[in-house]
Amino acid sequence: MTHPQRDLIAALRSDLTAAGFTVSALSGLWGPDADTALHRNQRVPALRALARLRSTLGRSTATATLAELFVLGLPVAPALLAEALPSLGIQGAAELRLISSVDEHDESVRPVADLRPYSFIDQLGVGSWWIMSDLGELSLGHAVGEDHVLGVGGASLTLSGLMIQRTVDSALDLGTGCGIQAMHAARHARRVVATDISARALDIASLNAELNGFENIEFRLGSLFEPVADETFDQIVSNPPFVITPRAEGVPSYEYRDGGMVGDALVQHVVHHAGEHLAPGGIAQFLGNWEYTHAEAGLDRVQGWLDETTDPVVDVWVIERDVQHIDEYAETWIRDGGTTPASPQFDRLYGAWLNDFEHRGVEQVGFGYVMLRRPDAASPATPSPLRRLEQLHGPLGGSGSGLGAHLSDCLAGHDWQTRRSDAELAASTLVVASDVTVERHYWPGDDDPTAMILRQGGGFGRQTPIDTGLAALVGACDGELTIGAICGALAQLLSVDETALLDELLPRVRALLDDAILLPTAEV
């Protein structure tokens, strides 16, 4: 979709490229410690580094000027900005709503938008973009507005890392915000529809798409699935406004995070209706919160939502990554809006949050990932839909950036094993995934281990306890011997009944395939 200010955006792209306005360039300007401080919303170390640079060079570079204006949110001299944006110019920057309007008498130019580089590695390789969003509280000096358009935050990075990047015809980004997920999806989807309830968000997302050269994204205004009422997609991704916010007078309702519903009802709505918009073989992935009460655990609550859906054939995988006490949850999201702790406003909002939770009997809030999948009519059907709800708290394996590929491997392993009988599985050959190691623990002086653990280096970093039989089977899975042949040899070695051993180990082999710890030989 072509942006109406295409020529101005092309000029901006040219200037940013010429200035070398990249993530690595910014890190080079102020160093890793200042980078870390910026993530804590502290800009003094970065400012000190820029001052030292100007003192050394006797001038400011284009990259430093752009960084000071758009990343640190501080005014710069018009002459410096004109030098940094020679193609776009000051007037062009004002027309794109990057800076406030200026005249010849102004001694400084102030930003009205955040514009910063963004880099990533996904399943398709290395990428880098520029992302425009609204100024945060660091630049504003006060809490953000309720129509604030957020840039790339922690939840955005989580979802983009989860995204399964298979080639598809169509994708939907539900609640696109600044457009970051739509652009990630556009790397592997022929066309993308991005929706949002905020017209401002769509304007900014459209500019970001144009700035970064995407022409296959269509933007639509509306709430949740309303803009795509009768359509289906091969992929749906969403970082929905899932934050649980009191519906009380005087409590800000931020469009980027608050869906306007009570409690976790918005996530429930997405769970209920996402499957209706999946084409055969389609996958939906989204983030969410769910409440814990004294009477119901969070994943039990999600299971209840699934039981209420009218589409029982859709596969479901829910992973809870964290649980917060209501006190911590309230503090996190009040600070997120830019309200200063210990201020009267903070205390008032804190009280409203806790009153809401107490009124509804909420004690904790869970956070995690939800994946839905509609079976592909062209593929052999599995005996029953996948229903997997699990808690995986704690650190991820590796960097967490390859979760999308890992989830895809897990789904492939699940499909492969569920379509095979025990006899067919026993006749198959498997291999151990390359990131899996065995950890053995011994009592001092003992020859035999007291505990053995399969440790997954990537993915979710699973740690699976195993016994002697399963350890021996996994160790022999080199793609040469069948599972049945391995079990036959083990039965002789351990002096046990071969059939009984096979019956014991096959379900555990299926579980290891579900977790991509074991892989079918054909998948290697």
Side-chain angles (χ1 to χ4, degrees):
M1 179 178 293
T2 301
H3 195 280
Q5 295 172 302
R6 187 172 199 178
D7 291 342
L8 291 176
I9 295 172
L12 174 61
R13 185 190 312 119
S14 175
D15 289 339
L16 296 177
T17 302
F21 193 52
T22 64
V23 171
S24 59
L26 294 188
S27 295
L29 280 177
W30 46 56
D33 291 339
D35 253 344
T36 302
L38 282 173
H39 286 298
R40 300 193 304 269
N41 257 0
Q42 301 296 329
R43 61 188 175 191
V44 172
L47 286 172
R48 290 168 62 87
L50 290 180
R52 288 192 296 268
L53 176 69
R54 282 193 295 268
S55 175
T56 301
L57 296 178
R59 60 182 177 83
S60 182
T61 66
T63 305
T65 297
L66 296 174
E68 191 164 7
L69 181 70
F70 293 126
V71 178
L72 304 183
L74 295 171
V76 300
L80 290 178
L81 183 59
E83 181 181 329
L85 299 176
S87 300
L88 179 63
I90 293 179
Q91 185 58 41
E95 289 184 41
L96 287 180
R97 297 190 296 278
L98 295 172
I99 61 171
S100 57
S101 298
V102 295
D103 60 40
E104 59 185 13
H105 303 295
D106 287 334
E107 296 182 356
S108 62
V109 177
R110 293 188 173 275
V112 294
D114 184 295
L115 177 65
R116 64 183 66 202
Y118 164 72
S119 62
F120 58 90
I121 302 174
D122 63 14
Q123 296 158 55
L124 302 178
V126 177
S128 60
W129 300 326
W130 299 286
I131 304 297
M132 175 183 169
S133 62
D134 280 337
L135 293 173
E137 67 273 14
L138 179 64
S139 302
L140 295 172
H142 56 76
V144 300
E146 293 187 41
D147 62 348
H148 179 77
V149 178
L150 187 69
V152 180
S156 301
L157 296 174
T158 296
L159 182 58
S160 63
L162 285 171
M163 195 181 299
I164 293 176
Q165 290 186 288
R166 58 193 182 121
T167 301
V168 295
D169 181 67
S170 61
L172 168 65
D173 176 18
L174 194 73
T176 193
C178 70
I180 187 66
Q181 306 304 334
M183 291 192 292
H184 274 291
R187 281 167 58 82
H188 60 268
R190 184 183 67 82
R191 68 180 184 91
V192 177
V193 175
T195 70
D196 205 286
I197 198 170
S198 166
R200 289 191 65 253
L202 293 178
D203 286 342
I204 290 175
S206 176
L207 185 149
N208 285 329
E210 184 73 37
L211 179 61
N212 294 290
F214 289 99
E215 298 181 349
N216 58 335
I217 305 176
E218 176 187 350
F219 297 94
R220 300 184 192 175
L221 180 66
S223 176
L224 296 174
F225 295 104
E226 291 174 3
V228 294
D230 300 317
E231 298 175 63
T232 59
F233 299 87
D234 302 310
Q235 184 173 35
I236 299 173
V237 294
S238 182
N239 178 15
F242 59 75
V243 175
I244 298 169
T245 304
R247 307 266 74 90
E249 185 177 352
V251 176
S253 180
Y254 297 108
E255 289 180 338
Y256 73 89
R257 73 182 202 193
D258 304 322
M261 299 184 186
V262 174
D264 51 17
L266 184 133
V267 179
Q268 179 184 18
H269 181 91
V270 177
V271 168
H272 280 171
H273 296 285
E276 302 167 10
H277 297 274
L278 287 174
I283 294 175
Q285 295 176 276
F286 51 95
L287 308 180
N289 277 166
W290 34 82
E291 297 176 335
Y292 280 70
T293 68
H294 67 279
E296 186 177 41
L299 288 184
D300 291 340
R301 184 174 180 82
V302 177
Q303 180 64 65
W305 299 343
L306 297 170
D307 293 342
E308 295 165 0
T309 63
T310 58
D311 200 349
V313 301
V314 172
D315 292 327
V316 178
W317 189 2
V318 181
I319 299 170
E320 182 179 82
R321 294 290 296 140
D322 192 19
V323 175
Q324 284 188 315
H325 187 270
I326 54 173
D327 293 357
E328 184 182 2
Y329 187 86
E331 292 167 15
T332 296
W333 292 110
I334 297 169
R335 286 196 305 267
D336 176 78
T339 302
T340 305
S343 66
Q345 174 74 345
F346 189 96
D347 291 347
R348 185 183 65 80
L349 292 175
Y350 204 166
W353 243 274
L354 296 186
N355 285 341
D356 174 65
F357 284 135
E358 181 180 6
H359 175 72
R360 295 185 298 105
V362 179
E363 299 174 345
Q364 293 177 301
V365 178
F367 166 81
Y369 324 141
V370 179
M371 180 162 59
L372 309 177
R373 182 180 60 162
R374 181 168 294 286
D376 187 347
S379 301
T382 57
S384 60
L386 173 65
R387 287 290 185 272
R388 188 172 188 178
L389 289 82
E390 57 183 334
Q391 292 180 321
L392 291 175
H393 299 174
L396 296 169
S399 66
S401 61
L403 278 181
H406 176 69
L407 292 174
S408 184
D409 289 342
C410 290
L411 289 177
H414 172 80
D415 294 345
W416 187 90
Q417 64 91 359
T418 54
R419 290 169 182 154
R420 282 163 174 78
S421 66
D422 282 351
E424 290 171 326
L425 180 58
S428 301
T429 58
L430 304 175
V431 295
V432 183
S434 60
D435 65 337
V436 173
T437 57
V438 179
E439 185 178 293
R440 291 179 170 86
H441 297 265
Y442 297 83
W443 288 114
D446 284 1
D447 293 329
D448 297 322
T450 56
M452 291 180 287
I453 300 170
L454 281 179
R455 188 178 295 276
Q456 194 170 48
F460 293 104
R462 293 180 187 272
Q463 300 178 43
T464 305
I466 55 176
D467 55 22
T468 301
L470 188 58
L473 186 149
V474 170
C477 284
D478 58 2
E480 298 295 330
L481 295 174
T482 66
I483 298 300
I486 295 172
C487 284
L490 287 176
Q492 290 188 4
L493 183 65
L494 300 173
S495 300
V496 298
D497 180 73
E498 179 178 344
T499 300
L501 182 63
L502 198 61
D503 289 344
E504 176 192 343
L505 292 181
L506 283 182
R508 301 169 74 183
V509 168
R510 291 185 185 277
L512 294 178
L513 283 160
D514 284 351
D515 293 337
I517 291 175
L518 288 178
L519 306 173
T521 306
E523 301 296 323
V524 178

